[in-house]
Amino acid sequence: MTNRRTFIATLIAASFAAGGMSSAFAADQVIKVGTLKLMHGITPYFYDKFTPPGYKIEVIPFETPTDGKNAVVTKSVDFGTYGLAAATLGAAAGEPVVVVAAQCNRGMAVVARADSGIDSIKGLKGKRVGILPGSTQEVVILDRLKQEGMTVKDITPVRVSFSEMASALERGDVDAYVGAEPGPSISVGKGVGKIVEYPYTTPTGTVNMVMTTHADTIKAKPELIKVFLKIHQQATDYVMANRAAFVDMSVQKLGLPAKTAELAAPNVELTWKLDDDWSKRAQYYGSQMLDKKQIRRLPDYSTFIDASFVKQVK
């Protein structure tokens, strides 16, 4: 009888211990982060290395910037990174999107078929050009066309997602495209395409992807934002200082050949800082969207871009 009682007591104790362990694991707060299937959206896959106890990162990949933005608006993710264009479109439409950090600069390229004879932006005249509507690249190429005395009417825009641009060029569906890495490097690496230019000469400069959250999170969970941005900062600095790790993760998560990832890496500047120059360029970018009637009004930049949290990161 004593042995039986001892056995039951042991089972009860073990049960309580297991319950305690489960509670401990359940206490980890899951931070859901949306990102794009692009090399300049790779940073979230390094977050685990810098996540403090009590938190867990879940990365959710999206195909388009609009998908990522909508996930933030619906609170399907806590934080989401995608192009400045999608964020600006959402904020201008009154959606509760707030930029709390940068994600990357650069990462763009205008690519043409190697045998196309297209050697400049002016060479795109009359050509089929792959462009993703609602992307940062769309506004940048329209601005570049304007600089060259052209408009979108001088080309034939073809809607193509970033992940399909290299294939579309190879099939001959388009003569050129305004893409995002690793697409340009895939085209160049295969010998199918060539870089016409990296379109960073407009006042927008190299500004590209942003890190966003829901306006409610700003009000209700400021401490979570601080924790998250510290993770984001550490991961970003780590990746930029470890090119081999950057390439390896791109191979692992995006299925890229190492040669392609190596070729693309120099055209991707992962970052997290929001300074006055960045904000000035972002606002210029918004003015271009308004000028091209892509938005009906400018976002309220006093709330759309909140650099206060980034300034607290050390």
Side-chain angles (χ1 to χ4, degrees), residues 24-307:
F25 283 118
D28 282 353
Q29 182 171 353
V30 177
I31 304 176
K32 294 184 178 181
V33 184
T35 190
L36 299 183
K37 299 175 183 178
L38 302 170
M39 278 189 71
H40 37 303
I42 207 72
T43 313
Y45 293 107
F46 289 90
Y47 287 168
D48 282 343
K49 293 176 64 69
F50 305 99
T51 302
Y55 297 91
K56 181 180 179 181
I57 298 292
E58 180 181 346
V59 180
I60 302 171
F62 292 106
E63 184 68 31
T64 71
T66 301
D67 291 338
K69 184 266 297 177
N70 289 343
V72 170
V73 171
T74 59
K75 299 183 181 180
S76 300
V77 296
D78 299 296
F79 300 92
T81 181
Y82 41 83
L84 176 60
T88 304
L89 281 165
E95 293 181 326
V97 176
V98 182
V99 174
V100 291
Q103 163 66 30
C104 85
N105 297 325
R106 302 177 66 84
M108 310 178 201
V110 180
V111 184
R113 284 187 62 88
D115 58 1
S116 66
I118 300 171
D119 297 312
S120 65
I121 296 298
K122 286 186 176 180
L124 297 175
K125 189 170 184 177
K127 304 297 185 180
R128 298 164 299 167
V129 183
I131 301 173
L132 179 63
S135 66
T136 306
Q137 284 81 341
E138 180 186 27
V139 175
V140 168
I141 192 60
L142 293 179
D143 209 8
R144 281 294 293 117
L145 289 172
K146 183 179 179 180
Q147 287 181 326
E148 299 295 336
M150 300 166 64
T151 72
V152 71
K153 294 180 180 179
D154 290 308
I155 64 174
T156 301
V158 180
R159 182 188 180 103
V160 187
S161 67
F162 289 134
S163 62
E164 287 296 316
M165 287 183 176
S167 297
L169 190 73
E170 187 170 2
R171 290 193 302 266
D173 296 344
V174 295
D175 302 302
Y177 65 79
V178 189
E181 295 291 3
S185 295
I186 292 174
S187 295
V188 172
K190 285 186 173 183
V192 173
K194 62 180 179 180
I195 302 297
V196 175
E197 72 166 49
Y198 296 111
Y200 307 136
T201 59
T202 75
T204 298
T206 61
V207 170
N208 192 344
M209 287 175 65
V210 294
M211 183 61 72
T212 66
T213 192
H214 195 287
D216 288 349
T217 306
I218 299 289
K219 299 175 183 177
K221 300 178 181 179
E223 289 304 316
L224 176 64
I225 297 175
K226 293 177 185 177
V227 169
F228 173 73
L229 289 187
K230 184 62 179 178
I231 297 170
H232 180 53
Q233 175 251 319
Q234 290 179 306
T236 300
D237 291 349
Y238 172 80
V239 180
M240 288 306 293
N242 292 273
R243 179 164 168 165
F246 184 9
V247 170
D248 288 346
M249 189 65 79
S250 298
V251 171
Q252 178 185 340
K253 296 299 182 180
L254 302 177
L256 297 176
K259 181 180 177 181
T260 299
E262 281 279 4
L263 189 62
N267 188 32
V268 179
E269 179 193 0
L270 300 176
T271 185
W272 55 274
K273 298 177 181 178
L274 295 179
D275 56 21
D276 291 341
D277 180 65
W278 189 96
S279 295
K280 179 181 178 180
R281 293 180 184 279
Q283 291 185 47
Y284 169 82
Y285 183 88
S287 72
Q288 291 304 294
M289 294 185 74
L290 182 65
D291 179 66
K292 295 169 179 60
K293 297 181 171 54
Q294 294 176 327
I295 54 177
R296 294 182 178 180
R297 61 183 177 86
L298 290 172
D300 180 353
Y301 283 100
S302 67
T303 54
F304 172 45
I305 299 175
D306 188 340

